Amino acid sequence: MDVWRDIQPDAFWQLVREGKLEPDQIIDVREPEEWDYYHLEGSTMLPLSSFIETWTRVPADKPVYVICAHGVRSQAVCRFLSEKGYGGLANVVGGMAAVSLHDGFQYD
């Protein structure tokens, strides 16, 4: 069974802006060129293309928020991590396209 939840961009943005998340709690699974285009300060990039080699860097002892461009890749990563026994996972609905609007940035 999948063990993660969806978090709406507004709720996620509030956690980010209030400084309630550490860098290793925000996992950005987009590719480097997407990261260079726009990313959240204080997040960790673990691209999906190399995630099979880097997934063990995701902390298992605290909540983790996974984000991509639109929420599809992050959902796949949440599924993968839940199959590895992780709990406390959250998929950011709408991805960076939705979250960046709160920062005044038009992602797409």
Side-chain angles (χ1 to χ4, degrees):
M1 178 176 172
D2 297 326
V3 183
W4 78 84
R5 66 184 175 96
D6 286 332
I7 186 169
Q8 295 300 315
D10 295 345
F12 174 71
W13 183 253
Q14 185 172 350
L15 292 171
V16 170
R17 285 298 149 226
E18 290 176 358
K20 293 185 176 179
L21 303 177
E22 298 172 18
D24 64 348
Q25 287 183 273
I26 306 170
I27 305 299
D28 189 330
V29 298
R30 296 173 304 139
E31 297 304 314
E33 57 277 0
E34 294 172 289
W35 171 271
D36 291 342
Y37 179 61
Y38 177 86
H39 66 271
L40 297 174
E41 293 298 322
S43 59
T44 300
M45 181 181 65
L46 296 177
L48 184 61
S49 63
S50 59
F51 199 76
I52 197 72
E53 291 92 27
T54 61
W55 70 270
T56 57
R57 291 179 44 199
V58 177
D61 60 343
K62 57 181 115 178
V64 173
Y65 300 81
V66 185
I67 192 165
C68 64
H70 297 282
V72 176
R73 290 175 282 179
S74 55
Q75 186 178 48
V77 166
C78 285
R79 181 175 294 113
F80 173 85
L81 290 172
S82 71
E83 290 171 358
K84 296 293 185 188
Y86 280 69
L89 301 167
N91 174 51
V92 181
V93 174
M96 201 60 76
V99 171
S100 67
L101 295 174
H102 294 285
D103 200 22
F105 186 84
Q106 181 67 42
Y107 184 79
D108 289 326

